[in-house]
Amino acid sequence: MNNVKVCILNHYTRDCSKLLERVKSLGCDVEVFTDTTNYYQKRNENRYLGLNHNVLSCLEHECEQEWKLIIHDDLIFDDKLFENIEYVLQFAPKTFVSFFNPRNQTYRNVNAKGKHVLKAFIKFWPQCMAFNSKEIPELVDFFYEHSDMGKISEDTIMVRYLSEYKIRMYGIVPSLVQHDLEDKSVCGNGPMIGKNRRDSELYNPDFDPKEIDWIKEFEDPVIDNKLYLDNKGIKNL
């Protein structure tokens, strides 16, 4: 992994030592970033403060690589994950690329069409996401501009950033990682969010990205135009 720095987003209540050793054994330059707070235990104005400051620690960490891959500490993945991610990133636009597919109809539609790239503003969960180094400074500034960092989660802040500046992320289909629902959510979430499970129905550890023409996929992605606008909810571009 010459071009990707792996950052494990961890909470101190979870022992990620085995995960760290596994990622190292796969040839990755990796570092763990640990939230040492208990803010998440109460649903108040500070609930997400520890999480967001931990994400900022990841983003602000200096590294030589072009890409920074932030992964959560409760993922299931194949040993070829990081090799596959680095391969895909060779062809990806220099912005934000997500490798986890949440359970929503947009990703199902992409998969049903036999396509492999979704281009969108809001359709992602950040369980496994690559950040290009040139895009990170403005995103960090946007985090600090939010005085309500304790009230909203990091993915909501990112959705607001992408929507406000009309920057699209790219979601890779199928999902290259799975969300481990056996590992209790730090924020106390159960296996379900509304009617949907928090894992991916499109996880495919046997998917081989080297069989895909990524130049074609990124040139002709499935496009979703929905934006998240403060105080207005989700709107079409």
Side-chain angles (χ1 to χ4, degrees):
M1 291 271 290
N2 297 321
N3 209 27
V4 180
K5 170 79 176 200
V6 179
C7 301
I8 299 174
L9 203 66
N10 170 247
H11 191 269
Y12 81 93
T13 56
R14 286 176 168 162
D15 179 6
C16 71
S17 58
K18 290 183 179 179
L19 173 60
L20 175 61
E21 290 307 310
R22 182 185 177 202
V23 176
K24 284 182 178 179
S25 74
L26 296 174
C28 298
D29 180 4
V30 57
E31 193 152 341
V32 176
F33 295 82
T34 301
D35 176 5
T36 60
T37 73
N38 287 315
Y39 287 125
Y40 70 92
Q41 292 181 340
K42 296 182 179 179
R43 293 180 178 272
N44 58 25
E45 68 231 12
N46 291 323
R47 187 182 188 204
Y48 295 108
L49 204 56
L51 169 62
N52 284 322
H53 282 301
N54 200 31
V55 170
L56 282 169
S57 294
C58 290
L59 294 174
E60 293 180 309
H61 174 71
E62 292 186 7
C63 66
E64 297 177 352
Q65 291 89 339
E66 182 181 12
W67 292 91
K68 190 171 288 183
L69 179 71
I70 296 182
I71 67 171
H72 288 201
D73 61 2
D74 56 353
L75 295 182
I76 297 169
F77 55 86
D78 183 78
D79 282 349
K80 291 184 179 180
L81 171 67
F82 303 107
E83 174 187 331
N84 288 339
I85 285 176
E86 188 161 44
Y87 181 79
V88 173
L89 290 177
Q90 293 179 79
F91 307 97
K94 310 301 184 185
T95 180
F96 308 102
V97 185
S98 174
F99 296 91
F100 174 76
N101 300 170
R103 288 178 180 256
N104 66 47
Q105 193 58 47
T106 303
Y107 281 92
R108 295 186 190 108
N109 292 342
V110 175
N111 187 62
K113 292 176 181 178
K115 304 285 285 183
H116 296 287
V117 176
L118 169 67
K119 185 177 180 181
F121 299 108
I122 66 173
K123 301 289 185 175
F124 70 91
W125 284 9
Q127 269 72 12
C128 181
M129 192 163 185
F131 299 74
N132 189 267
S133 58
K134 75 177 183 64
E135 294 287 351
I136 289 176
E138 288 189 5
L139 176 60
V140 168
D141 289 344
F142 192 83
F143 263 81
Y144 282 118
E145 289 169 6
H146 279 264
S147 58
D148 54 356
M149 256 205 293
K151 296 180 180 179
I152 57 177
S153 60
E154 88 283 24
D155 52 341
T156 302
I157 294 176
M158 283 190 267
V159 161
R160 289 180 175 181
Y161 171 74
L162 296 174
S163 295
E164 182 167 329
Y165 291 100
K166 307 298 187 296
I167 300 170
R168 295 179 191 266
M169 55 73 64
Y170 293 82
I172 303 304
V173 180
S175 187
L176 298 191
V177 298
Q178 182 62 286
H179 197 182
D180 185 1
L181 298 188
E182 297 300 318
D183 202 348
K184 186 178 180 180
S185 166
V186 167
C187 289
N189 296 321
M192 309 287 288
I193 295 290
K195 296 181 180 180
N196 291 319
R197 288 168 56 87
R198 293 189 297 111
D199 61 356
S200 177
E201 66 192 285
L202 298 178
Y203 173 54
N204 182 2
D206 297 321
F207 174 68
D208 185 359
K210 295 181 179 65
E211 296 180 352
I212 305 302
D213 183 347
W214 291 104
I215 294 176
K216 179 180 178 181
E217 290 293 330
F218 280 110
E219 286 179 347
D220 185 29
V222 175
I223 296 175
D224 184 274
N225 286 317
K226 293 183 176 63
L227 295 164
Y228 181 91
L229 304 177
D230 285 350
N231 303 318
K232 296 181 181 179
I234 295 173
K235 304 289 184 181
N236 281 317
L237 180 65

